[in-house]
């Protein structure tokens, strides 16, 4: 703690300080249960998540579990910041991916033989962005088999087909 930082968990806000307790935190999954986000909020979240992914990918690493449950939204004074949190570990070793298959690229799920790299995270981000705008998941099957089939066989619906104005 220094004179410039009166509290170890304080963030400067103009003429005052906010402690960690002043910040509202919620997962993106919790927020999406209330309905879709607007375009501005979706773009802000996308920018924040890309700011987490770019340095990770530059080091040759992959998050591998990007889904709304692994995105934390922090709000203070009307500003919201999205943080990509570490993936949750599977319940038991060897039990499969640490993410929801509805958001995973086919190569992450073992559905196609392709090396898993940063493109898999970008695929997952695209699914998250679509859900932010529509509050629906394009690849939600009744079970893993149906989810894989959806990833591999359906066309991702356009925003216009979901009633969202979008440029052509």
């Amino acid at each position: 703690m220094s004179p410039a930082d009166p509290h170890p968990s304080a963030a400067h806000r103009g003429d005052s300080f906010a402690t960690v307790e002043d910040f509202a935190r919620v997962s993106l999954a919790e927020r999406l249960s209330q309905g879709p986000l607007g375009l501005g909020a979706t773009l802000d979240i996308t920018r924040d998540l890309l700011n987490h992914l770019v340095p990770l990918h530059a080091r040759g690493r992959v998050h591998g579990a990007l889904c709304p449950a692994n995105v934390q939204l922090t709000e203070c004074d009307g500003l919201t910041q999205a943080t990509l949190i570490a993936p949750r570990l599977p319940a038991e070793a060897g039990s499969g991916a640490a993410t929801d298959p509805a958001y995973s690229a086919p190569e992450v799920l073992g559905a196609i033989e392709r090396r898993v790299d940063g493109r898999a995270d970008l695929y997952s981000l695209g699914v998250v962005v679509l859900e932010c705008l529509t509050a629906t998941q394009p690849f939600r099957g009744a079970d893993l088999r149906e989810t894989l089939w959806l990833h591999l066989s359906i066309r991702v619906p356009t925003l216009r087909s979901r009633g969202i104005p979008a440029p052509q």
Side-chain angles (χ1 to χ4, degrees):
M1 183 162 58
S2 71
D5 183 13
H7 191 278
S9 63
H12 186 56
R13 294 186 308 191
D15 296 332
S16 63
F17 285 87
T19 63
V20 172
E21 294 78 24
D22 292 333
F23 296 93
R25 291 190 180 93
V26 65
S27 75
L28 180 57
E30 291 172 89
R31 171 54 190 88
L32 289 173
S33 70
Q34 301 169 17
L37 305 177
L39 179 60
T42 299
L43 291 174
D44 289 344
I45 289 169
T46 303
R47 180 200 59 234
D48 291 346
L49 295 177
L50 285 169
N51 284 336
H52 287 279
L53 292 173
V54 167
L56 188 68
H57 295 167
R59 292 190 310 266
R61 302 194 60 208
V62 177
H63 186 272
L66 200 162
C67 64
N70 288 335
V71 175
Q72 179 177 310
L73 302 178
T74 306
E75 187 173 327
C76 185
D77 287 344
L79 300 174
T80 301
Q81 181 174 0
T83 303
L84 185 57
I85 60 175
R88 296 187 180 118
L89 296 175
E92 45 188 78
S95 66
T99 189
D100 186 329
Y103 301 93
S104 297
E107 60 270 26
V108 171
L109 299 172
I112 60 172
E113 288 190 39
R114 181 183 296 160
R115 184 176 65 88
V116 175
D117 59 23
R119 293 174 293 181
D121 285 338
L122 297 179
Y123 180 97
S124 298
L125 179 60
V127 177
V128 169
V129 168
L130 183 62
E131 185 175 359
C132 285
L133 293 170
T134 65
T136 60
Q137 300 169 345
F139 306 118
R140 172 65 63 201
D143 55 24
L144 180 59
R145 185 176 185 170
E146 185 179 358
T147 298
L148 287 171
W149 180 83
L150 290 170
H151 277 289
L152 296 171
S153 63
I154 70 163
R155 266 201 135 135
V156 176
T158 65
L159 293 176
R160 286 175 175 244
S161 73
R162 299 283 178 112
I164 298 172
Q168 290 186 348

